[in-house]
Amino acid sequence: MPRIRPFAGLLYDQRRAGPLDRLTAPPYDLIDERERERLYRSSPYNAVRLIRGRNRAGDRAGSNRQTRAAYMLSAWRRDGILVPTEPSVYLYEFEFHLGGAHRRVRGVVAEVELVPLGAGVIPHERTMQGPLRDRTALLGAVRANLSCVHFVYGAQTGAPEREGAGAAVRADFDEVAALPPTADAIDDDGTRHRLWVRADGGRVAERLSGVPLMIADGHHRYAAALAHREEMRRVAGSGPWDAVMGLLVDASAEDPPVLPIHRVLKPHTARDADEAAARSGERVRDLEEVLRSLTDDPPVAGVASIEAGEVVHRIVALDGGRPAVRALHDGPLRGLRADALRYVSDAASAEQMVRSGRAAAAFFLPPTRIDAVLDVLDAGGTLPQKSTYFWPKPRTGMVIRPFDP
């Protein structure tokens, strides 16, 4: 089981860098070119310049966006834009609205010992080689964890001797959260991100050590950290690369939202069988009715496709149990190549792709719950690629873990 430890982090000095709202960024895989340019314009110190910098003509090994990120990180530290803390744990809080209700989710940012996947750290999605190579190259250049791996613990992941860990951590959090936060930012979705630094956080870390963890978000970051560790051990032995920065959330108490990622069938890959699947099910009025009809248990998915020149909406009862995403891939999408699909978190955007002819069909999924994901893993099963969208996601730039504090 992974050991959990405090670490000396880097925080923005907002007196030099400006308001934190302009400095943080979402995870790299949520940043398209338009969002990257907007974040670039927001501040010369926005964290997007580290995690998803621009490519330039003539980039090559030794001079590329990864090496530029390393240079910027070093310069920001030298110029006091980023300042170090004492070895600490960092208490992280999300405040947001979802489904018409105000919600709060809390967790602990700490150093998580790297262990092989399956040996105390449980993945639930497969990684892809392209993003894995990219993240490994960036990690090797900057020698720092720029973003958290998002872990959950508790529920089926809990170890019997550690069942009280979550309650003890919550008590610690309540004590610290009565004080003003060290970092406070609101993102474009209206989610408030707050961070407290706990320099005496060894007790919190000890309570979480030995608790099995599931990766909620950041499979590529964790796999890249493992690859970098093995490379560094060959040349330098053990070191700070033996761990990764993680946000640990108690799934039993916090009930983190697990939103759907909808599937869009690319037009040039559509086959007769795929198009037949898109036309199965009961026809309903519109996308709003589709979304109202989706359920995870029993699994019910929605479909939008073009029939006789117009967009038709249907709902499809799926065979099998929850989560619905697994039943969809075991049913209508069975045997479909991964490159035949795009993955879209916004249902209206997925429908618009069908209307514009950029997609042959869109398949809509309901939200699920963390215990449904864990049930699959406990039974020895796996989930399809891009099965879950844990939300909200920690912002890059709230805290950074350098290898040389």
Side-chain angles (χ1 to χ4, degrees):
M1 300 297 174
R3 289 174 291 179
I4 312 300
R5 294 178 290 255
F7 67 91
L10 298 173
L11 302 178
Y12 277 109
D13 183 344
Q14 296 177 62
R15 295 169 300 178
R16 292 176 178 266
L20 197 60
D21 294 351
R22 300 179 183 177
L23 303 174
T24 64
Y28 80 98
D29 55 333
L30 299 184
I31 302 173
D32 59 18
E33 289 190 15
R34 179 179 296 180
E35 174 69 357
R36 179 175 61 191
E37 295 309 306
R38 187 188 69 80
L39 293 169
Y40 258 77
R41 291 191 298 271
S42 68
S43 170
Y45 305 118
N46 189 282
V48 73
R49 297 169 184 265
L50 304 177
I51 61 170
R52 199 172 179 85
R54 294 168 175 152
N55 291 314
R56 293 180 182 173
D59 276 357
R60 61 190 185 282
S63 178
N64 51 42
R65 58 191 176 89
Q66 286 93 3
T67 58
R68 287 191 290 274
Y71 172 81
M72 277 187 284
L73 180 61
S74 177
W76 294 356
R77 296 177 68 178
R78 181 194 64 223
D79 296 340
I81 301 301
L82 293 168
V83 294
T85 71
E86 299 177 39
S88 305
V89 298
Y90 309 84
L91 306 182
Y92 198 115
E93 180 183 84
F94 305 94
E95 279 193 293
F96 55 97
H97 280 82
L98 183 65
H102 180 265
R103 292 283 313 276
R104 183 186 73 188
V105 171
R106 289 173 164 179
V108 175
V109 177
E111 179 179 286
V112 179
E113 179 186 19
L114 287 167
V115 298
L117 291 172
V121 170
I122 308 163
H124 76 275
E125 292 182 352
R126 293 182 294 273
T127 56
M128 296 176 286
Q129 285 303 307
L132 178 55
R133 286 192 297 269
D134 178 72
R135 293 300 96 184
T136 305
L138 180 62
L139 182 58
V142 300
R143 295 175 53 82
N145 298 136
L146 303 173
S147 306
C148 291
V149 178
H150 190 172
F151 298 100
V152 295
Y153 65 94
Q156 289 100 316
T157 67
E161 70 274 14
R162 293 290 182 173
E163 286 180 351
V169 170
R170 289 193 296 278
D172 284 322
F173 209 129
D174 288 339
E175 177 186 338
V176 173
L179 303 172
T182 306
D184 192 338
I186 298 177
D187 68 22
D188 294 328
D189 293 328
T191 299
R192 187 177 187 184
H193 302 255
R194 299 199 293 175
L195 187 86
W196 290 263
V197 179
R198 178 143 195 171
D200 59 342
R203 182 179 60 173
V204 175
E206 173 60 27
R207 284 170 172 161
L208 291 172
S209 289
V211 172
L213 304 173
M214 188 192 83
I215 300 176
D217 188 55
H219 286 78
H220 290 96
R221 291 190 286 280
Y222 193 88
L226 282 174
H228 182 66
R229 181 192 69 175
E230 295 311 302
E231 180 180 342
M232 291 303 297
R233 279 184 171 179
R234 285 193 294 270
V235 298
S238 296
W241 41 81
D242 291 336
V244 70
M245 180 171 66
L247 169 65
L248 291 74
V249 174
D250 183 349
S252 298
E254 301 296 331
D255 190 23
V258 188
L259 304 184
I261 303 178
H262 310 295
R263 273 64 178 141
V264 173
L265 183 63
K266 297 178 183 178
H268 64 279
T269 58
R271 303 172 301 183
D272 291 343
D274 303 328
E275 293 179 353
R279 288 167 170 74
S280 63
E282 175 188 355
R283 184 167 177 171
V284 296
R285 184 179 66 244
D286 54 18
L287 179 60
E288 180 181 0
E289 188 61 32
V290 166
L291 298 179
R292 287 178 177 273
S293 303
L294 301 177
T295 60
D296 202 46
D297 189 16
V300 175
V303 187
S305 63
I306 301 293
E307 299 181 28
E310 65 173 328
V311 177
V312 172
H313 299 85
R314 298 181 182 275
I315 55 173
V316 183
L318 302 169
D319 294 330
R322 63 177 190 162
V325 63
R326 192 184 190 203
L328 178 66
H329 281 262
D330 287 345
L333 299 185
R334 184 181 182 89
L336 192 65
R337 300 193 317 274
D339 62 359
L341 296 173
R342 291 191 179 97
Y343 303 93
V344 181
S345 57
D346 180 67
S349 297
E351 183 201 45
Q352 181 57 36
M353 293 175 72
V354 176
R355 291 187 182 278
S356 66
R358 291 179 292 144
F363 295 83
F364 304 100
L365 289 159
T368 189
R369 294 178 61 87
I370 183 64
D371 58 334
V373 176
L374 293 169
D375 283 343
V376 173
L377 301 181
D378 287 346
T382 58
L383 291 174
Q385 177 182 319
K386 296 288 186 182
S387 289
T388 58
Y389 187 83
F390 281 81
W391 186 85
K393 297 182 183 295
R395 298 286 284 185
T396 298
M398 294 294 285
V399 60
I400 290 170
R401 175 182 172 262
F403 288 177
D404 54 342

